Amino acid sequence: MNNNDIKNIWKSGVDADINPYSESELNDIVVKSARKSMKIIQPGGILRVVVVASIIYFIIIITAGDSTWEMRMLYFIGLLILSGSYFLYERASRKMNQYILGSPVKEWLEYRIDQVERSIRFKHKYDFLIYGGAILLGFSFSLISQLLVNSFNIVASIVSFVVILVIILIIKYNDNKNYHKTLMGLKEIHQQLEE
């Protein structure tokens, strides 16, 4: 069902070919539309596969690898950062999707709009720190691993820095675009409820 249909259904409670909707069914339609709009800023299947594969890789390297204890410690720190970050991302996603039956759907939607707007403002305000920290963390991980195995290579360091920089910039661009798209979708649904 298209988001544009919500306004007509909400006003009349009737679709051309269907019996009248109850209020709980109308709330379900709005919640599903809002969740669909929020889906692009939440963890997807590809991210889950990459994170799980990385976690398994780290665990294998830590437990079965023949590297030094310093390298194992570095991989363990990487494992903690990756799993902790992903856990917090999933938790925030589940909290945004949670809807308690019987609660006013308009208030639920307004809260989601407010949270997405706050996230956009936060990202805009601390953009340099967030993405600069990610670049620094990724490059530090690469640099420290090179130093620990005594194979420092300036060309490899420069290449890893450029690759990390490009990846982070692509993530930043997509993240900003997706948050604005989600915000517009949620505001459109909210506007339809207002009319």
Side-chain angles (χ1 to χ4, degrees):
M1 177 169 291
N2 192 348
N3 287 347
N4 296 332
D5 296 337
I6 294 174
K7 178 174 79 174
N8 298 331
I9 294 171
W10 189 269
K11 278 184 173 179
S12 65
V14 178
D15 194 32
D17 303 326
I18 309 175
N19 293 331
Y21 288 111
S22 68
E23 187 171 337
S24 66
E25 289 172 323
L26 291 173
N27 288 346
D28 268 351
I29 292 170
V30 172
V31 169
K32 284 179 184 176
S33 294
R35 284 180 179 158
K36 185 177 179 183
S37 292
M38 293 185 299
K39 190 173 186 161
I40 61 173
I41 62 170
Q42 297 172 346
I46 294 173
L47 178 65
R48 287 185 175 111
V49 169
V50 169
V51 168
V52 169
S54 300
I55 288 173
I56 291 170
Y57 173 76
F58 279 140
I59 290 172
I60 290 171
I61 293 295
I62 291 169
T63 58
D66 57 351
S67 56
T68 63
W69 71 271
E70 292 95 352
M71 282 300 289
R72 288 183 182 183
M73 185 59 69
L74 181 66
Y75 285 126
F76 182 72
I77 291 169
L79 175 66
L80 288 178
I81 291 171
L82 178 65
S83 56
S85 301
Y86 184 70
F87 171 76
L88 292 174
Y89 191 36
E90 280 285 352
R91 187 172 152 244
S93 172
R94 290 185 192 278
K95 186 176 179 183
M96 284 293 281
N97 280 330
Q98 187 178 26
Y99 173 70
I100 300 169
L101 291 175
S103 63
V105 77
K106 191 173 176 184
E107 289 176 13
W108 179 85
L109 188 59
E110 288 169 352
Y111 176 77
R112 271 63 195 164
I113 291 170
D114 181 55
Q115 290 302 308
V116 172
E117 285 176 337
R118 287 177 67 193
S119 293
I120 291 171
R121 283 192 307 270
F122 180 83
K123 286 175 183 290
H124 183 70
K125 187 175 183 180
Y126 297 107
D127 219 12
F128 180 74
L129 291 176
I130 294 168
Y131 296 107
I135 292 168
L136 184 63
L137 183 64
F139 182 65
S140 298
F141 190 81
S142 170
L143 189 63
I144 291 171
S145 66
Q146 284 184 37
L147 293 174
L148 287 176
V149 295
N150 295 325
S151 68
F152 179 73
N153 184 342
I154 190 73
V155 174
S157 297
I158 292 171
V159 168
S160 69
F161 178 76
V162 169
V163 167
I164 290 168
L165 179 67
V166 168
I167 290 171
I168 296 297
L169 290 176
I170 290 170
I171 289 171
K172 176 186 178 226
Y173 171 77
N174 285 331
D175 207 26
N176 289 340
K177 182 179 73 169
N178 290 341
Y179 268 87
H180 285 287
K181 186 175 179 180
T182 297
L183 182 61
M184 291 303 111
L186 293 176
K187 282 186 173 182
E188 181 182 323
I189 294 169
H190 186 268
Q191 182 182 2
Q192 290 175 14
L193 292 178
E194 290 288 323
E195 293 175 354

